[in-house]
Amino acid sequence: RHQALVLAASRPQDPVARHAGQSHKALVRVGGVPMLIRVLRALQASRSIGRIAVCLEADAPVAGAEPELDALLASDAVSLIEAAASPSRSVLRALGALPLPLLVTTADHPLLAAAMVDRFCDAVPADVDAAVAVVRATLLQQSYPDAIRTYYCFAGEGYSGCNLFLLQSPDALRVVELWTRLERHRKQPWRLIAEVGPLALLRFLLGRLDLDGAMRHLSARVGAKVRAVEMPFAEAAIDVDKPADLELAEKILARRASSGSGR
């Protein structure tokens, strides 16, 4: 079974934590349960996941804040890793301490379910070095037309990320290193173009680069086989980045509770 890493560090003055009156974003309650606890429960219920590591700031005010979290940390099932300066650097740090394959997700994903995790892990071929889960925009918009998401358009079709990644081999390190460079150059467009490649960028802008083509280009660019896995769950693409997302997640969980659905 795979080990899992939950990125749970909080930004200073995080808008969701501030809106909820909470000291740390991971502890913001959705449906009465802290988001981090919901993610940990989903991972523990997944047949694909074994041990879990949670990546937090060294001074994160979570110790003693939630008895369920304290109990998990006291057990052998969940461990802590200190967060680095950015999500990509935190993953790099974790790769030095955790075994592969490694599933990476985030604490602000309260709608995550074991079925999503298992579907994603089952769909990634064994010869793929790194994979990312995506949801088609049409599915998300049909299911939740009020959801405000960021879409990446490939050959006329939009996709939204799911904050689910699977790193299967040592070559996946190259993908995370590219992620780190993209973070570092986010305010230098010409550096970003250089990393992506100008011809691929032109094809993307002209709507001539489909998702599979983008993954093939990325694979050749970094020297690792990368695959995008399309998910059939609209909720897999709904994380909580802003107060409006929190409200939507509350509504979805309330609907699940009233219908008796565990998905």
Side-chain angles (χ1 to χ4, degrees), residues 181-182 184-186 188-197:
R181 293 196 299 274
L182 293 176
R184 188 167 63 245
H185 300 325
R186 65 186 182 277
Q188 298 173 288
W190 68 272
R191 296 293 296 270
L192 293 176
I193 292 171
E195 292 287 357
V196 173

Side-chain angles (χ1 to χ4, degrees), residues 7-190:
L7 299 175
S10 184
R11 294 175 291 172
Q13 297 297 310
D14 182 89
V16 174
R18 189 169 61 248
H19 173 79
Q22 183 54 261
S23 59
H24 196 281
K25 183 181 180 181
L27 298 181
V28 171
R29 293 178 179 273
V30 184
V33 179
M35 291 195 290
L36 175 57
I37 296 295
R38 286 192 175 276
V39 171
L40 292 176
R41 288 177 182 176
L43 293 173
Q44 287 191 305
S46 165
R47 58 176 165 73
S48 306
I49 302 301
R51 296 194 64 203
I52 303 167
V54 177
C55 189
L56 280 164
E57 313 95 310
D59 59 351
V62 298
E66 290 295 332
E68 185 172 345
L69 180 59
D70 290 342
L72 288 170
L73 293 174
S75 72
D76 192 45
V78 177
S79 60
L80 283 180
I81 289 181
E82 185 176 345
S86 70
S88 67
R89 291 184 180 277
S90 292
V91 174
L92 281 177
R93 175 175 289 177
L95 284 174
L98 302 176
L100 297 171
L102 180 66
L103 179 93
V104 181
T105 189
T106 59
D108 61 355
H109 201 336
L111 302 180
L112 186 68
M116 298 176 190
V117 176
D118 291 333
R119 176 63 178 257
F120 177 50
C121 291
D122 290 347
V124 180
D127 64 341
V128 167
D129 299 307
V132 55
V134 298
V135 165
R136 197 176 288 252
T138 49
L139 172 62
L140 188 51
Q141 291 165 351
Q142 287 169 2
S143 302
Y144 303 104
D146 295 332
I148 302 172
R149 312 309 307 164
T150 298
Y151 296 109
Y152 300 93
C153 192
F154 295 97
E157 180 60 68
Y159 297 89
S160 183
C162 300
N163 286 0
L164 275 176
F165 310 90
L166 185 61
L167 310 177
Q168 291 201 124
S169 81
D171 283 344
L173 176 65
R174 300 174 184 173
V175 181
V176 182
E177 289 172 340
L178 173 63
W179 179 14
T180 301
R181 293 196 299 274
L182 293 176
E183 279 185 340
R184 188 167 63 245
H185 300 325
R186 65 186 182 277
K187 295 184 180 180
Q188 298 173 288
W190 68 272

Side-chain angles (χ1 to χ4, degrees), residues 222-256:
V222 301
K225 191 170 183 180
V226 186
R227 175 74 60 85
V229 173
E230 188 173 336
M231 300 284 280
F233 311 97
E235 299 88 349
I238 299 175
D239 57 4
V240 178
D241 282 329
K242 49 191 177 298
D245 300 330
L246 183 61
E247 181 179 349
L248 176 60
E250 290 274 10
K251 289 180 179 177
I252 294 171
L253 287 172
R255 192 180 309 153
R256 283 184 187 175

Side-chain angles (χ1 to χ4, degrees), residues 184-219:
R184 188 167 63 245
H185 300 325
R186 65 186 182 277
K187 295 184 180 180
Q188 298 173 288
W190 68 272
R191 296 293 296 270
L192 293 176
I193 292 171
E195 292 287 357
V196 173
L199 292 180
L201 180 64
L202 180 60
R203 289 179 60 207
F204 173 77
L205 293 174
L206 293 175
R208 296 177 181 173
L209 184 65
D210 63 13
L211 183 60
D212 287 340
M215 293 300 105
R216 288 194 299 270
H217 172 78
L218 177 60
S219 298

